[in-house]
Each structure stands twice: as C-alpha cells, then as structure tokens.
C-alpha cells in the first residue's frame, strides 16, 4: 500500500489529511499508530532521543480521528 510513501518527518497538516479518502485515512491511522509504538519502544530502550516526534504523531492521530468521526 501507499503507507510506506508517507513522510513522518514532516507534520501532517489537516488540509493534507482532508484530501485522503476514508480508506486511506484508516490506513494512515494504522501506520502512524504502529510507528508511534516503535518510536516509544526506541525511546524507552535508549535507541532514540526524538521525544518531540511522539507529540507530533499523537497530534496526527488526533487529526485523523477527528476527520473520521466527522465523516461518520
């Protein structure tokens, strides 16, 4: 799927997310949640110090969920 093309290095803006279909939003949500879990593990084990990315990913998840809830 296209989820590997998504760039997690830049914050997903709401306008970008609005352009995605419902199916793509669900895929994006699953992908970001997985990446968040991986990042949390890396921070806990000392492999990464990018703690600010955790906040960005959580905000992206919240944006996606907001859009999905509006479309229901």
């Amino acid at each position: 799927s296209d989820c590997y093309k998504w760039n997690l290095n830049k914050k997903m803006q709401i306008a970008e997310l609005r352009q995605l279909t419902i199916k793509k939003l669900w895929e994006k949500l699953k992908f970001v949640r997985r990446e968040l879990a991986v990042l949390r593990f890396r921070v806990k084990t000392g492999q990464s110090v990018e703690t600010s990315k955790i906040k960005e990913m959580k905000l992206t998840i919240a944006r996606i969920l907001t859009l999905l809830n509006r479309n229901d």
Side-chain angles (χ1 to χ4, degrees), residues 21-64:
T21 64
I22 302 276
K23 184 178 177 189
K24 293 282 184 191
L25 283 172
W26 280 110
E27 287 178 15
K28 177 74 172 169
L29 180 63
K30 185 178 176 182
F31 178 74
V32 176
R33 281 181 168 166
R34 175 75 181 130
E35 291 301 309
L36 177 59
V38 169
L39 181 60
R40 282 181 170 155
F41 176 78
R42 287 186 180 150
V43 168
K44 279 279 193 196
T45 58
Q47 297 174 20
S48 177
V49 292
E50 300 180 64
T51 55
S52 63
K53 279 195 169 203
I54 292 175
K55 183 177 180 182
E56 288 177 23
M57 287 183 180
K58 287 170 68 176
L59 285 171
T60 300
I61 290 169
R63 288 182 181 115
I64 293 170

Side-chain angles (χ1 to χ4, degrees), residues 10-19 60 63 67:
K10 80 179 181 91
K11 188 167 59 172
M12 287 293 292
Q13 298 298 325
I14 195 79
E16 295 175 68
L17 291 171
R18 280 191 184 120
Q19 295 173 358
T60 300
R63 288 182 181 115
L67 288 174

